[in-house]
Amino acid sequence: MDHGEATTTTEPAGTSPTLGPPLVELKDVNKHFGDLHVLQDIDLTVRKGEVLVVIGPSGSGKSTLCRAINRLETIDSGEIRIDGQPLPEEGKALAKLRADVGMVFQAFNLFAHKTILENVTLGPIKVRRERTSAAKERALALLDRVGVKNQAGKMPAQLSGGQQQRVAIARALAMQPKVMLFDEPTSALDPEMINEVLDVMVALAKEGMTMIVVTHEMGFARKAANRVVFMSDGQIVEEATPEEFFTAPRSDRAKDFLSKILSH
Ligand SMILES: Nc1ncnc2c1ncn2[C@@H]1O[C@H](COP(=O)(O)OP(=O)(O)O)[C@@H](O)[C@H]1O
Ligand SMILES: [Mg+2]
């Protein structure tokens, strides 16, 4: 699916002068679920300001990779660092890490019994210890930025899927994260709502947010990504610029995968 125009401004992977120091670093990361080797020797560095798109067939380990970075999953061996710090095991340090790593999932996971505004202020008040008035003010500004300020008093179920997903982005941003992880944020949406979410993500990328985005949206990748990583069977098989990857994939597995997603 391609929901946008390709741009020609993409720079070669990793060479953009605007990118900062390493922010997310994975070194030789391995993870098993029983006999399944779901992450195999993963080496990956995402620099400050970089937008990385992760693409690959279902079951290749993309969600596990995201969850490992947020320590929602433990790893068996290797090392993951956020802003130079190894992932904490537990406790306050782990809560702090989770606040530094914003996460938006496929399914809208807003708190169903809280208003839109409460969904966005809860984390800042409880975890960041912000004053309620300050948290509300910032939440409203964020809801405005994602285009749903007028929905602030409603309950999640009263919003469309696209609106809920934009609230989920605002909620993650309210924690002032260093990096945002998106795991197929548009794949549960009706087609007419996909662009309204992708537009918010493109704007975020343009503002310099560091982002790891699992998506098959080529339009987004071409507009916003510095780099594409292709995963298959728990391995990073290929790394390229979006332009290189979508026009001339090198590996047979990537060619096969692209022929499948391009054919419908
Ligand atoms: N909690 C779990 N227990 C056992 N197997 C799992 C678990 N989570 C994921 N898997 C398996 O790990 C593989 C990778 O899953 P996942 O990371 O969700 O892939 P993707 O996001 O690329 O579709 C799949 O085969 C999946 O069934
Ligand atoms: Mg997944």
Side-chain angles (χ1 to χ4, degrees), residues 62-64 106 183-184 214:
K62 307 178 301 294
S63 293
T64 306
Q106 175 176 343
D183 190 0
E184 304 204 33
V214 178

Side-chain angles (χ1 to χ4, degrees), residues 33 36 38 56-65 73 183-184:
F33 286 120
L36 183 68
V38 63
S58 176
S60 56
K62 307 178 301 294
S63 293
T64 306
L65 180 77
E73 295 283 1
D183 190 0
E184 304 204 33

Side-chain angles (χ1 to χ4, degrees), residues 109-115 119 154-158 164 171:
N109 55 342
L110 300 176
F111 302 114
H113 303 293
K114 298 204 178 289
T115 65
N119 262 278
K154 291 191 183 165
M155 304 305 280
Q158 293 174 278
Q164 288 188 50
R171 182 175 65 172

Side-chain angles (χ1 to χ4, degrees), residues 2-260:
D2 195 333
H3 294 274
E5 293 290 305
T7 60
T8 51
T9 54
T10 317
E11 296 175 73
T15 62
S16 171
T18 57
L19 295 181
L23 188 57
V24 179
E25 295 166 277
L26 287 84
K27 293 211 177 93
D28 207 16
V29 168
N30 284 279
K31 162 99 188 158
H32 297 77
F33 286 120
D35 290 340
L36 183 68
H37 198 172
V38 63
L39 296 178
Q40 301 181 24
D41 306 321
I42 301 289
D43 282 305
L44 185 65
T45 299
V46 182
R47 290 162 65 190
K48 193 165 188 302
E50 186 171 18
V51 178
L52 177 77
V53 159
V54 180
I55 191 166
S58 176
S60 56
K62 307 178 301 294
S63 293
T64 306
L65 180 77
C66 286
R67 293 169 57 78
I69 291 170
N70 213 1
R71 217 183 180 286
L72 294 168
E73 295 283 1
T74 56
I75 56 174
D76 300 337
S77 64
E79 195 177 52
I80 303 180
R81 288 175 177 265
I82 308 286
D83 210 4
Q85 302 296 313
L87 289 198
E89 296 283 312
E90 56 191 11
K92 279 199 176 132
L94 183 56
K96 167 83 169 58
L97 166 96
R98 295 247 169 83
D100 283 343
V101 181
M103 181 117 189
V104 177
F105 300 90
Q106 175 176 343
F108 336 116
N109 55 342
L110 300 176
F111 302 114
H113 303 293
K114 298 204 178 289
T115 65
I116 297 306
L117 183 64
E118 287 165 347
N119 262 278
V120 182
T121 56
L122 196 69
I125 293 169
K126 293 263 186 245
V127 179
R128 294 285 199 205
R129 303 259 168 231
E130 278 182 37
R131 282 189 10 255
T132 306
S133 56
K136 268 189 188 166
E137 199 174 313
R138 239 162 28 77
L140 287 169
L142 284 167
L143 289 172
D144 195 23
R145 189 162 140 199
V146 301
V148 290
K149 190 183 177 189
N150 55 354
Q151 314 287 325
K154 291 191 183 165
M155 304 305 280
Q158 293 174 278
L159 272 60
S160 73
Q163 288 173 323
Q164 288 188 50
Q165 205 59 324
R166 285 182 282 147
V167 173
I169 295 172
R171 182 175 65 172
L173 291 175
M175 298 298 274
Q176 301 179 288
K178 290 178 179 167
V179 53
M180 287 278 286
L181 306 182
F182 294 86
D183 190 0
E184 304 204 33
T186 60
S187 57
L189 294 175
D190 291 333
E192 71 272 19
M193 292 171 190
I194 290 175
N195 275 332
E196 66 190 44
V197 173
L198 292 178
D199 286 348
V200 168
M201 292 168 59
V202 170
L204 203 54
K206 292 221 165 98
E207 288 162 25
M209 175 60 79
T210 309
M211 296 164 64
I212 299 175
V213 185
V214 178
T215 185
H216 296 165
E217 295 290 345
M218 268 188 289
F220 173 81
R222 287 186 139 134
K223 257 189 231 170
N226 300 88
R227 192 156 53 112
V228 171
V229 156
F230 174 71
M231 276 186 84
S232 178
D233 298 322
Q235 296 171 323
I236 292 179
V237 175
E238 192 159 333
E239 264 187 65
T241 63
E243 215 45 55
E244 286 165 350
F245 181 75
F246 292 116
T247 55
R250 296 186 299 267
S251 64
D252 287 341
R253 280 191 275 185
K255 282 177 195 162
D256 179 55
F257 173 75
L258 283 175
S259 73
K260 282 176 188 145

